[in-house]
């Protein structure tokens, strides 16, 4: 009963804070799939997920994994679209290892990625929803293109990306610095949940059931990055936030600039975040 009440509380909180459809753009890594699983459980307004490359090899591969996870979470109602590839993905040892682990995770559970076709018109699919809220979990290639098209009305946007000014480029921004710069410059009501904030808020391993627990067991960082941005999108007041003036340079570094955005600086209540993950995990099919 207590689990049920927690689930209802999260559902009511989500419906009260925003009624617009939620568009999520992702590169379908471990942390992305944890974030999407949690949103599948807590956000009935989750309407469309678009995919780019980055943590996954191709948008189509990512879309297949996203569709499989959403089906496992009982959310076949969510539209999945394979968009464009990020133009330059830094190949680093952690990325190669993560891609191999993710392939093994699906294979070990006999979860072959769902096959398409996945319609590639991200802008058209999102525009059909009317005004949306946006959550960015990967390189910003699709998001920049859709915003430039003028076909979509984004009311609020939260992006897991960037780092504090002066640090090395964060992975999502480094995969498409031009897109990151364009989104920071043009996206209305943009909040950045950066690498620095996510690292400071890192949740140590916790016992979780079902799909979310399995993903977190496979990758020690699966609760560290994108799920925090998803929590920010789902729970108003979950982070301390300040207004800043930022830009993005040609390498994807956050620099001082003229674009006004909001930067998350600190997770307010770490236990509330863990409870959100626990409740979402318990609410999903085992």
């Amino acid at each position: 009963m207590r689990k049920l009440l927690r689930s209802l509380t999260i559902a009511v909180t989500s419906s009260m804070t925003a009624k617009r459809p939620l568009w999520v753009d992702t590169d379908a890594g471990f942390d992305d799939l944890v974030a999407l699983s949690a949103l599948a459980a807590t956000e009935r307004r989750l309407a469309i997920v678009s995919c780019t490359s980055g943590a996954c090899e191709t948008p189509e591969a990512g879309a297949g994994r996203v569709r499989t996870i959403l089906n496992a979470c009982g959310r076949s109602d969510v539209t999945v679209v394979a968009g464009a590839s990020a133009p330059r993905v830094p190949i680093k040892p952690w990325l190669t290892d993560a891609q191999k682990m993710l392939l093994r995770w699906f294979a070990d559970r006999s979860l072959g990625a769902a096959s398409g076709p996945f319609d590639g018109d991200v802008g058209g699919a999102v525009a059909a929803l009317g005004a949306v809220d946006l959550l960015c979990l990967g390189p910003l290639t699709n998001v920049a293109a859709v915003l430039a098209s003028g076909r979509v009305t984004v009311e609020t946007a939260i992006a897991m990306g960037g780092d504090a000014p002066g640090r090395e480029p964060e992975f999502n921004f480094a995969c498409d610095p031009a897109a990151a710069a364009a989104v920071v410059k043009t996206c209305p009501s943009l909040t950045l949940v950066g690498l620095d904030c996510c690292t400071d808020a890192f949740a140590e391993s916790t016992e979780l059931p079902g799909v979310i627990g399995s993903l977190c067991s496979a990758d020690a960082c699966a609760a560290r990055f994108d799920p925090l941005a998803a929590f920010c999108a789902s729970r108003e007041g979950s982070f301390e936030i300040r207004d800043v003036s930022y830009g993005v340079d040609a390498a994807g570094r956050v620099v001082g600039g003229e674009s006004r955005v909001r930067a998350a600086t600190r997770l307010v209540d770490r236990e509330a975040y863990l409870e959100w993950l626990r409740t979402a995990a318990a609410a999903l099919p085992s």
Side-chain angles (χ1 to χ4, degrees):
M1 177 61 72
R2 293 178 65 185
K3 289 182 178 178
L4 175 61
L5 289 174
R6 286 198 298 269
S7 299
L8 290 174
T9 299
I10 286 181
V12 170
T13 300
S14 297
S15 65
M16 290 175 63
T17 54
K19 297 182 182 297
R20 289 179 295 270
L22 178 63
W23 165 31
V24 179
D25 190 74
T26 177
D27 61 342
F30 273 109
D31 57 331
D32 302 69
L33 297 179
V34 170
L36 286 167
S37 299
L39 291 171
T42 62
E43 292 281 358
R44 294 309 306 177
R45 66 194 182 105
L46 176 62
I48 183 167
V49 179
S50 56
C51 299
T52 185
S53 60
C56 65
E57 306 89 327
T58 66
E60 291 76 16
R65 290 167 194 160
V66 167
R67 177 75 278 159
T68 299
I69 289 292
L70 290 175
N71 287 347
C73 293
R75 292 300 303 272
S76 59
D77 59 304
V78 179
T79 299
V80 179
V81 186
S85 297
R88 62 180 199 189
V89 177
I91 303 301
K92 298 188 176 184
W94 69 261
L95 177 59
T96 302
D97 291 344
Q99 289 177 342
K100 290 178 180 177
M101 285 194 302
L102 195 56
L103 287 169
R104 189 179 309 120
W105 186 88
F106 276 88
D108 288 348
R109 286 150 190 82
S110 299
L111 289 174
S115 58
F118 300 103
D119 182 0
D121 183 7
V122 177
V126 178
L129 299 174
V132 298
D133 292 323
L134 168 62
L135 175 62
C136 310
L137 303 179
L140 295 168
T141 305
N142 290 325
V143 174
V146 170
L147 292 176
S149 74
R151 302 167 68 188
V152 172
T153 300
V154 173
E155 293 291 343
T156 65
I158 293 172
M160 193 277 116
D163 204 337
R167 302 193 187 187
E168 289 301 303
E170 179 273 330
F171 178 77
N172 288 342
F173 278 22
C175 287
D176 196 340
V183 172
V184 167
K185 183 176 182 180
T186 63
C187 191
S189 303
L190 176 64
T191 299
L192 295 179
V193 182
L195 187 65
D196 52 334
C197 184
C198 291
T199 301
D200 290 344
F202 177 53
E204 292 86 355
S205 298
T206 184
E207 292 296 322
L208 297 167
V211 171
I212 292 177
S214 179
L215 288 164
C216 289
S217 295
D219 183 350
C221 293
R224 188 178 215 171
F225 303 113
D226 291 334
L228 284 160
F231 183 58
C232 184
S234 289
R235 188 70 62 86
E236 187 175 354
S238 55
F239 283 81
E240 290 182 355
I241 292 173
R242 63 188 178 94
D243 292 330
V244 296
S245 296
Y246 278 172
V248 179
D249 71 11
R253 297 182 188 88
V254 171
V255 295
E258 297 180 353
S259 299
R260 298 292 293 173
V261 299
R262 304 167 77 232
T265 59
R266 187 181 72 85
L267 177 65
V268 172
D269 187 342
R270 179 180 171 278
E271 183 54 36
Y273 168 60
L274 293 176
E275 181 64 12
W276 178 74
L277 283 177
R278 292 187 197 105
T279 304
L284 292 171
S286 59

